[in-house]
Amino acid sequence: KPCSVGRILRNIVTKTEPIASGKKIAVVCDIPDDLPDVSADREMISRAAENLIGNALKYTPEKGEINISVKKTGERLLLVSVKDNGRGIAEADLPHIFERYRRGRNQQGDVKGTGLGLAIAKKIISRHGGEIWANSRPGEGSEFLFTLPLSF
Ligand code: ATP
Ligand code: MG
């Protein structure tokens, strides 16, 4: 099924707008509207992206900023980035955050979650032939990226 990743991302941004404005977080989108569709399960991709954007909102303090972008890379991939300037992830935790029930040591207590979101997101993206990974620096922020093959 062809689906528009740009539209999925915009829908999530609209849906989460009350959370963002409640925390005075600026959500900046770079989502071109002439992107090619991917062949994917819209509900699944939406669920994966919702966790990334939800995490960015959860782990970024008031007045932070989130940047969401999607672009074509190479010949046949879309690259989605969800970047925040929040608390970041400890170096020791970074290799484990995509494991089930794994939560970062500095996140427990104040922010609720089950530690399943990224494991599910990884399953979904892999099943669609894409990859998902993260870059982060404690105290500076995190960037989550995933690719999806273009339908052709
Ligand atoms: P759930 O998504 O199941 O409600 P969760 O958000 O804790 O719970 P994941 O989404 O799997 O679980 O994330 C795993 C861990 O990775 C988090 O507990 C947190 O420590 C860390 N993490 C994920 N995204 C971010 C982010 N944007 N900034 C800082 N830490 C993050
Ligand atoms: Mg989560």
Side-chain angles (χ1 to χ4, degrees), residues 10 15 17 31 47 57 63 78 94 122 130 132 144:
R10 281 198 209 91
K15 198 160 91 180
E17 202 279 325
I31 305 173
R47 206 207 291 189
L57 287 165
K63 295 177 185 151
L78 278 194
L94 200 51
K122 185 174 183 167
I132 183 167
F144 285 80

Side-chain angles (χ1 to χ4, degrees), residues 57-84:
L57 287 165
K58 270 205 292 194
Y59 300 114
T60 298
E62 293 218 342
K63 295 177 185 151
E65 183 170 311
I66 297 173
N67 282 267
I68 299 168
S69 74
V70 49
K71 63 182 181 195
K72 243 182 97 177
T73 65
E75 266 314 290
R76 39 181 72 189
L77 283 181
L78 278 194
L79 176 67
V80 176
S81 161
V82 178
K83 189 175 177 182
D84 66 62

Side-chain angles (χ1 to χ4, degrees), residues 2-67:
C3 75
S4 160
V5 172
R7 186 174 307 152
I8 289 171
L9 294 170
R10 281 198 209 91
N11 285 343
I12 298 167
V13 170
T14 303
K15 198 160 91 180
T16 55
E17 202 279 325
I19 303 169
S21 54
K23 290 180 78 173
K24 299 182 175 68
I25 290 174
V27 179
V28 181
C29 294
D30 181 5
I31 305 173
D33 36 35
D34 59 347
L35 288 168
D37 284 350
V38 296
S39 173
D41 183 325
R42 186 162 43 85
E43 298 290 322
M44 290 288 160
I45 301 303
S46 180
R47 206 207 291 189
E50 237 175 270
N51 181 60
L52 299 187
I53 294 170
N55 283 350
L57 287 165
K58 270 205 292 194
Y59 300 114
T60 298
E62 293 218 342
K63 295 177 185 151
E65 183 170 311
I66 297 173
N67 282 267

